[in-house]
Amino acid sequence: MPRFVLLWHACPSSYGKSDPKGSHWDFLLEDGGALATWNLFELPSAWNKSVLNEGAAKPKAAGIAAGQRPAGARPDELANSRIVAAEKIQDHRLAYLDYEGPITSENPENRASVDKGSVERIDGGEYRLLERSETLWRVELAGEFLQGIVELRFLQEGDWRLEVGSP
């Protein structure tokens, strides 16, 4: 079965100058030899309860409290208990299924190393593909904390919505 992962991407302020989105969550679904990737600037409330676990032993993402929106995140007009805005970005390497730590890349102009912050693996597991088209991904997650139906639906260029517990 293909795998998924939810990462917390803590971006340094210097990285924010070129990317105004700032720190965010990355939701990645294995798709062949790559990971289809969406940025989330807040989690559905059901995921807050599962992943951040409001006072229980596990939550990772140190410094991120349940329901907290990462610094610099845009307001999310769709946010409610089940739906949040998502931004589809370029596919990522399969290494991110298991990787935690610093992220750097090379600046093509001067070959200097660029600090892109770090990622922390929050949850992961396998998923079952229920439906897929250019405008819809409907999957069933089987992670340690994240479980059940998730629907990613295209709205307009780059903008998607993520809904948990969809029918």
Side-chain angles (χ1 to χ4, degrees):
M1 285 182 62
R3 296 170 293 167
F4 80 93
V5 68
L6 177 68
L7 302 174
W8 169 247
H9 185 174
C11 297
S13 57
S14 60
Y15 182 59
K17 291 177 184 170
S18 62
D19 183 356
K21 297 178 295 233
S23 297
H24 56 273
W25 307 92
D26 289 325
F27 182 64
L28 304 100
L29 296 172
E30 186 175 11
D31 183 32
L35 295 169
T37 304
W38 289 264
N39 287 342
L40 308 175
F41 297 99
E42 103 181 275
L43 294 179
S45 62
W47 284 12
N48 276 327
K49 291 175 182 149
S50 296
V51 173
L52 298 178
N53 217 353
E54 299 177 348
K58 159 99 170 113
K60 288 186 151 192
I64 304 299
Q68 178 180 346
R69 179 178 295 146
R74 64 184 181 196
D76 182 355
E77 290 100 24
L78 297 174
N80 69 29
S81 62
R82 294 179 31 204
I83 301 172
V84 296
E87 177 186 22
K88 180 82 170 82
I89 61 170
Q90 78 279 356
D91 289 351
H92 282 47
R93 294 172 294 157
L94 291 176
Y96 283 103
L97 285 166
D98 301 305
Y99 180 74
E100 288 187 285
I103 303 172
T104 58
S105 68
E106 187 176 281
N107 181 333
E109 294 177 15
N110 60 14
R111 301 212 186 281
S113 181
V114 176
D115 177 13
K116 292 187 172 184
S118 63
V119 293
E120 182 177 359
R121 189 175 189 273
I122 304 303
D123 195 20
E126 296 179 337
Y127 76 91
R128 185 168 59 103
L129 183 62
L130 303 175
E131 184 178 351
R132 180 173 173 200
S133 69
E134 288 185 24
T135 60
L136 175 71
W137 287 66
R138 196 160 181 268
V139 299
E140 183 174 11
L141 302 181
E144 183 178 355
F145 299 99
L146 302 180
Q147 299 193 11
I149 305 294
V150 172
E151 184 176 284
L152 289 147
R153 185 173 296 276
F154 174 78
L155 300 175
Q156 62 186 17
E157 186 178 333
D159 291 331
W160 290 63
R161 77 174 194 190
L162 179 141
E163 181 174 357
V164 296
S166 62

